[in-house]
Amino acid sequence: MIAQSLIDDETEFIPLLTTEEDDNLSSFQVPEELPLLPLKNTVLFPGVVIPITVGRDKSIKLIQEAYRKDKIIGVVSQIDNTVEEPNFNDLNKVGSVGVIMKVLRMPDGNTTVIIQGKKRFEITGLVKEEPYIVGKIQNITEVKPKDSDKNFKATVSSLKDLALQIIKQSPQIPSDASFAIKNIESTSFLINFVASNMNLAVGDKQKMLEISNLAERATAVLGYLTKELQMLELKNQIQSKVKTGIDEQQREYFLHQQLKTIQEELGVNSSDREVESIKEKAKSKKWGKEVQDHFDKEMQKLQRMNPQASEYSVAMNYLDLLTELPWNEYTDDNFNLKRAQKILNRDHFGMEEVKDRILEHLAVLKLKKDMKAPILCLYGPPGVGKTSLGKSIAEALGRKYVRMSLGGIRDEAEMRGHRRTYIGAMPGRVIQNLKKAKSSNPVFVLDEIDKVTRDSHGDPSSALLEILDPEQNQKFYDNYVEMDYDLSKILFVATANSLSTIQPALRDRLEIIEVSGYTQEEKIEIAKRHLVPKQIAEHGLKESQIEFSNEVIDALIEGYTRESGVRSLDKKIAKVVRNQAKNIVIGKKVSKAVSIESLNKILGPARMKDKYEGNDYVGVVTGLAWTAVGGDILYIEVSLSKGKGKLTLTGNLGDVMKESAVLALEYLKAHASDLGIKDEEFENWNVHVHVPEGATPKDGPSAGITMLTALASVFTQRKVKHKLAMTGEITLRGRVLPVGGIKEKILAAKRANIKEIILAEENKKDVQEINSKYIKELKFHYVKSAADVLKIALLKEKGKR
C-alpha cells in the first residue's frame, strides 16, 4: 500500500511539482564533495520531500553545520539497517542530493529535519569519516524518454490510475490523498513520489533509485503497484466473504473462515494436503505386507470421513504414528571391538564384568550376524554409573540411545498404550521412544526397574514381561498401534538398586550383572579422570586454575562421603570448584592447589563415621554390614547385669537379627565348658545386646558370628583382637554360612582402618573377584565353624567390662 506519509498532515511539505520546477531540478549543480547522512529505514528520491528524525550524534552535528551553511547534504541509505554506527563501507553508493528545508525541535527532545531530494549522485570515494562521513560524489545523468514516446505515456498513465485505485480501495488511506496524485504535472516527480511512498523494503526502493532510465523505473514501479493492488483486492474479497457480526465468541470462527478462504483461493485444501503427505511418507516405509494392508484399510476409512468430524483427527494421528515408526529400520552395528573397549574404558573406570559382557555380545553378533538381544540388568548401589553406562554401550555399538525412567510408574497403559476408543489415547512409552529414536534396534535403558509400583490401573511390571522376554518381544502388541511390533533387536539395559522388589517372573528374564561399589583407589582414579575435569569445565575454570592432589581427593572420600558410588564425591568436588571460582572472580589471591586445610574451611570438619573404636572393652566387637549406599561397619555391644539370665535386644533390630542373637547365646550355653564358662553364669546374669545407631533399622543374618564373639568376650572377660572385623551367619550347631555384599563390606573395613577380616570359607571366591592390589593390606581368615571364629578373635588378655 501507499506508505503512511500520504496520510500524515504534512501536505504543506509536499510540493506539487510543475514541469518548469522539474526542469529547475535538472539544472541543479552537484558539488564534488558532500557530507553524507545515512538513512536506516527509507530512501530519498529526487523532488520528494520527506521528514527524517535524527538521533545519532554524528547526524545531528552534520545537520546543524549544514543548516548554518548552504543546507546541502548527501542522503544515502544503509546496506544493513541494523548497524547503529555505520562507516563508509556500510552505505549504498547511489543516493540523492538533499536540501534542508526546515529543522524542527520536537516535544520529546528529538530533531526532525524536512529534506527535499534534488538530484541523484554516485559516491566515488571517501574524504573523511570524522566528525561525520564526507564523500566524493559525481552526478548521475537521468535518461528521460522523448515526449513522443507513447509507451512511456501509457505507463505513466497506468501508474497514476493504479495509485488512485489503491487509495480508493484502501480504508486506511484517506480519499484526500488522491488530491496529491492528481495535481502532479511532472512525470518524473510522479514516478519518484509514488516509488518513495510505496510500502516496500528499503532494498527494493534502493534498486529503483539506481535505475537511471526513467521509463524502466516507471515500469518497475508499475509492477510493484500491480502486485499491491492485487493483494488489496484479494484481502477485500476475503473480508467480504467472512464479514459478519463478530463478538468475542465468534473471533476464532472468523479466523478459521479467513484461513479457509485463503486456501480456496490458492487451490489448497489442508486436509487433502495432510493425507497426501502421509501417503508420500508411507511409500518409503519398509513394513511388511500385513502392516501395508492395515495402513491401506485405515487410509480408506479416513478418506471417507468428513474432515470436520471428531473421529477424523483421531484417525489422522493414528496413521501419522504408523508412518513415523521405524518399521524394520535398523542402524548398522560397529563391530570394532578395540574401539568399543576404548570407549567403555574412556567413560567408566573399573566395571570389568560389564565391559566383558558387552564385548562378548559384540563378538557373537559379528560372528552370527543375528542374535536375540539379551536383557541386561545392572544391579548395584546408587552412583556407581549404571545409567551412564547405557550411553557408553550405545556409542560403542554405534546405536541410537533411548532412556526410559520407570520410577513411580503405576499404570499398565504407560507400557502397553491406550485403546484408540478412549479420548486422549496414546501409544505406550516403548513405542513413543522408538518413534523418537527413529531406529528399531537402539540401546534402550530401563532406569530404576525396581521402583515400578502397582495400583488399581494394573501392574506395569507384568506388562514388562512381554517386552523383556526374548521369546515374546518379537511380536509385542501395543493397544494403540493394534499391530505386532518387533522389539527383539533392541538391546535392553535395566538398572536397579535392589533385586528384592523386582517381580520374580520379571527377574527371571533378566541377566543380572552386579555393579559393586568402588574401592578407595578406584574412586581416586575416577575423580582424577572424570569428576574433576567435568566440574572444572562446568564451572568455567581452566585446569591451570585449580589442582586436586591424590591426598586431597583421598581426604574428601574419607572425611566427607559415605557411599559405594561417587555421586556425593562429585557434589563435594563441585562445591570446592565453586569456591575457587568465587575467589577468582572477586580477585582473592588463592593457591591453585587445593589443600586439606582448605577443605575444612569450605566443607566444614570431616565426619569420619567409619572410625574404628578400639578393643579396650570386652563385649564390643566390630561387624560388617551392607546398606543401600554400600558397606558399613557395625558395633555389637554386650553387657551383663545381675539377674536371672534374661536376654534383652535393642537397636531397632529386625526379626532375623534377633534370631541370630538368640542362636549365638544358645550356642554359647551349649559350648560353655569349651570356653571355661560356668553354667551358673548364664543363670545369675542378665544379658543386654545393643547395636548402636538405634534410629537406623537393621536386619539380616550377617551379624551372627559378631554377636557370638561379643557374647563370648563378655562372659569370658577376654578382649577381642585389635583391628579385627567379621561377617557371617551362624547355625545352631556352630556352622558359619556365607553372606552377600562382601566387596562393599571389605571397602567399609578398609575405610575404618581394619587390618584383619573373618569370613565364611564359601566367601573366599567373592574376595578373589576383587583386584588384589586393592586388598593387599588386609589379612583374611576363612572359617567353617564358630569355634574357629572364637579361636581367632578372642585374646587371652583380660579387658574392662
Side-chain angles (χ1 to χ4, degrees), residues 460-517:
S461 61
S462 297
L464 284 170
L465 295 177
E466 182 185 4
I467 296 170
L468 298 181
D469 191 337
E471 298 299 325
Q472 299 180 47
N473 63 10
Q474 56 189 315
K475 290 187 177 292
F476 171 67
Y477 185 86
D478 185 278
N479 291 329
Y480 185 86
V481 177
E482 296 181 350
M483 296 285 294
D484 291 336
Y485 197 93
D486 186 6
L487 306 180
S488 62
K489 303 294 191 298
I490 299 173
L491 176 57
F492 286 103
V493 179
T495 71
N497 299 130
S498 171
L499 298 178
S500 60
T501 55
I502 302 176
Q503 190 187 110
L506 180 58
R507 180 177 170 179
D508 186 55
R509 286 161 168 76
L510 304 174
E511 183 179 333
I512 307 295
I513 299 176
E514 187 172 355
V515 184
S516 54

Side-chain angles (χ1 to χ4, degrees), residues 754-770:
I754 299 292
K755 299 299 181 186
E756 297 183 47
I757 299 175
I758 298 177
L759 299 170
E761 181 74 32
E762 287 89 337
N763 281 130
K764 191 172 185 177
K765 65 181 188 316
D766 298 304
V767 178
Q768 290 170 346
E769 291 176 359
I770 304 171

Side-chain angles (χ1 to χ4, degrees), residues 353-366:
E353 185 182 354
V354 187
K355 294 174 185 175
D356 288 343
R357 181 64 188 85
I358 299 303
L359 294 174
E360 287 169 5
H361 177 65
L362 264 177
V364 174
L365 271 177
K366 186 174 183 179

Side-chain angles (χ1 to χ4, degrees), residues 16-47:
L16 307 182
L17 260 69
T18 61
T19 307
E20 290 80 12
E21 290 171 321
D22 191 17
D23 293 337
N24 291 335
L25 278 182
S26 301
S27 61
F28 182 83
Q29 293 298 315
V30 176
E32 293 182 357
E33 294 182 3
L34 272 182
L36 301 178
L37 177 66
L39 301 184
K40 291 171 69 172
N41 300 315
T42 190
V43 175
L44 178 64
F45 284 81

Side-chain angles (χ1 to χ4, degrees), residues 169 171 234-247 250-251 253-259 261-262:
Q169 294 198 25
L234 181 60
K235 182 179 176 183
N236 290 337
Q237 187 181 356
I238 292 168
Q239 288 177 341
S240 66
K241 286 183 180 180
V242 296
K243 191 174 181 181
T244 182
I246 298 172
D247 56 17
Q250 291 173 313
R251 183 173 179 275
Y253 172 77
F254 168 68
L255 293 173
H256 279 299
Q257 286 296 102
Q258 273 195 320
L259 179 62
T261 307
I262 291 168

Side-chain angles (χ1 to χ4, degrees), residues 302-512:
L302 178 74
Q303 290 175 315
R304 290 196 298 268
M305 287 182 189
N306 183 348
Q308 302 301 322
S310 58
E311 295 85 357
Y312 186 85
S313 62
V314 174
M316 181 69 79
N317 290 338
Y318 175 67
L319 289 172
D320 190 50
L321 173 75
L322 289 184
T323 57
E324 290 288 335
L325 283 175
W327 303 87
N328 299 322
E329 295 176 23
Y330 306 105
T331 54
D332 295 328
D333 286 331
N334 190 329
F335 295 119
N336 188 333
L337 265 63
K338 289 184 178 178
R339 174 183 170 276
Q341 190 169 26
K342 185 178 179 181
I343 290 170
L344 293 171
N345 289 335
R346 178 198 71 194
D347 294 342
H348 292 83
F349 187 80
M351 296 188 177
E352 302 305 328
E353 185 182 354
V354 187
K355 294 174 185 175
D356 288 343
R357 181 64 188 85
I358 299 303
L359 294 174
E360 287 169 5
H361 177 65
L362 264 177
V364 174
L365 271 177
K366 186 174 183 179
L367 293 173
K368 197 182 176 188
K369 306 297 183 189
D370 181 33
M371 186 182 83
K372 287 178 181 175
I375 315 297
L376 306 179
C377 179
L378 306 179
Y379 152 67
V384 294
K386 301 185 297 296
T387 304
S388 60
L389 194 63
K391 277 189 180 178
S392 302
I393 293 172
E395 187 181 348
L397 289 168
R399 293 190 181 189
K400 298 289 182 66
Y401 170 75
V402 174
R403 175 184 168 272
M404 183 170 79
S405 178
L406 299 177
I409 287 182
R410 58 181 185 274
D411 189 351
E412 184 185 343
E414 291 277 349
M415 297 290 121
R416 284 194 175 278
H418 308 81
R419 298 196 180 278
R420 280 192 287 149
T421 53
Y422 296 119
I423 295 172
M426 293 175 63
R429 292 176 66 179
V430 176
I431 294 296
Q432 288 182 45
N433 279 297
L434 287 177
K435 175 186 168 184
K436 290 179 187 174
K438 294 182 170 38
S439 167
S440 288
N441 66 335
V443 173
F444 204 119
V445 175
L446 299 167
D447 216 3
E448 309 291 359
I449 198 170
D450 55 326
K451 309 294 191 304
V452 176
T453 57
R454 60 180 300 174
D455 67 358
S456 57
H457 294 98
D459 182 8
S461 61
S462 297
L464 284 170
L465 295 177
E466 182 185 4
I467 296 170
L468 298 181
D469 191 337
E471 298 299 325
Q472 299 180 47
N473 63 10
Q474 56 189 315
K475 290 187 177 292
F476 171 67
Y477 185 86
D478 185 278
N479 291 329
Y480 185 86
V481 177
E482 296 181 350
M483 296 285 294
D484 291 336
Y485 197 93
D486 186 6
L487 306 180
S488 62
K489 303 294 191 298
I490 299 173
L491 176 57
F492 286 103
V493 179
T495 71
N497 299 130
S498 171
L499 298 178
S500 60
T501 55
I502 302 176
Q503 190 187 110
L506 180 58
R507 180 177 170 179
D508 186 55
R509 286 161 168 76
L510 304 174
E511 183 179 333
I512 307 295

